[in-house]
Amino acid sequence: MSMARIVSYAGAAGAALPPPIATAARESVRRIAASAVALSLALVISATCVQALAAEAQDTVHSFYQTLLGAMKEGRTLGQSGRFARIDPVVRRLFDIPSMARVAVGGTWTTLSAVQQEQVMAAFASYISATYAERFDSYSGQQLEVTGQQSSGSGTMVRTRIIKAGGEPLGIDYLLRQNEGVWQIADVYLDGAISQLATQRSEFGAILRRDGFDGLLATLSRKVNLLTGTIAKAS
């Protein structure tokens, strides 16, 4: 029932009924009208909140890409270690490092002490940052685009593509989840199929079986040093 019809009905009811009953009828109609307005506002606010949450998922990836582009454009000046220093704090803020490290380590995670888990998370975050710093080393017209998103049972998938100058676009998808109201990256998929975490879980599992916890930390540290140019790659 429209607001005009509610008001019209209230006027008609007041004219046809005795004063006490008419007053009660008008009051009842006003309450109904007020409830209808409140419901409409609630629906609008709810829809706006849903849209805002969806936008924030894409904003996280867009913010990360802006950081990568900035590091790339200053890549030669910054050098490998400088790019790492630029990217690392952003990775630690935008990536769900605790969740990703837990998945990458696998079943061994529950056998680690709290101190060991913290060590793995710190090393894992550095490894992610160093990998991006090494791969996105310079700028020659590349485009990093967020193209859309899709909700799934495990979170929200934000779809992107990286277009190299004169090259074919490379599709990269980011799985995001909300942690305390903040959208964070929980996994990365190459061409929408190859899970970064699944690959790392396989690699880390082999290292843990062969060299144990200390071996995993040493391997991650060495990889970071290689990727950031702290030690020579030929050594």
Side-chain angles (χ1 to χ4, degrees):
M1 182 181 291
S2 69
M3 187 63 69
R5 288 183 178 179
I6 290 173
V7 173
S8 176
Y9 174 77
L17 297 173
I21 299 177
T23 300
R26 285 194 294 269
E27 183 61 29
S28 176
V29 171
R30 278 196 292 269
R31 285 198 298 269
I32 294 172
S35 298
V37 171
L39 178 60
S40 297
L41 288 174
L43 291 173
V44 170
I45 292 171
S46 176
T48 302
C49 288
V50 170
Q51 293 172 355
L53 289 176
E56 287 173 8
Q58 296 187 54
D59 287 346
T60 292
V61 179
H62 186 264
S63 177
F64 180 55
Y65 273 1
Q66 289 298 106
T67 298
L68 290 182
L69 280 172
M72 291 165 66
K73 290 178 179 179
E74 299 181 55
R76 299 188 187 282
T77 302
L78 292 171
Q80 287 175 283
S81 60
R83 292 193 302 275
F84 172 80
R86 178 76 63 84
I87 293 169
D88 189 56
V90 178
V91 165
R92 292 173 188 268
R93 176 169 54 88
L94 299 183
F95 283 66
D96 186 359
I97 299 300
S99 172
M100 295 177 73
R102 184 170 60 250
V103 172
V105 171
T108 303
W109 181 265
T110 58
T111 69
L112 302 179
S113 68
V115 171
Q116 289 175 321
Q117 290 175 353
E118 288 292 337
Q119 289 175 320
V120 171
M121 287 189 287
F124 186 63
S126 294
Y127 176 54
I128 293 174
S129 302
T131 300
Y132 277 104
E134 193 270 342
R135 291 178 180 173
F136 294 83
D137 59 346
S138 61
Y139 183 75
S140 56
Q142 299 96 323
Q143 298 179 53
L144 280 62
E145 301 178 347
V146 175
T147 60
Q149 68 179 39
Q150 181 179 354
S151 296
S152 67
S154 56
T156 296
M157 193 73 73
V158 175
R159 306 195 183 283
T160 78
R161 62 180 182 178
I162 298 175
I163 306 174
K164 297 182 179 181
E168 291 294 323
L170 173 66
I172 299 180
D173 297 340
Y174 292 83
L175 176 66
L176 286 90
R177 299 192 186 100
Q178 270 198 313
N179 292 314
E180 297 181 353
V182 177
W183 285 103
Q184 289 185 311
I185 296 167
D187 200 356
V188 183
Y189 293 82
L190 181 64
D191 288 331
I194 304 172
S195 164
Q196 172 184 296
L197 279 182
T199 301
Q200 290 166 338
R201 183 178 180 126
S202 177
E203 294 174 354
F204 291 3
I207 296 170
L208 285 166
R209 287 190 297 273
R210 184 180 66 247
D211 303 320
F213 172 76
D214 290 338
L216 176 61
L217 279 186
T219 299
L220 287 173
S221 177
R222 178 173 175 78
K223 285 178 178 291
V224 170
N225 290 336
L226 285 170
L227 291 168
T228 59
T230 304
I231 59 177
K233 293 186 179 182
S235 64

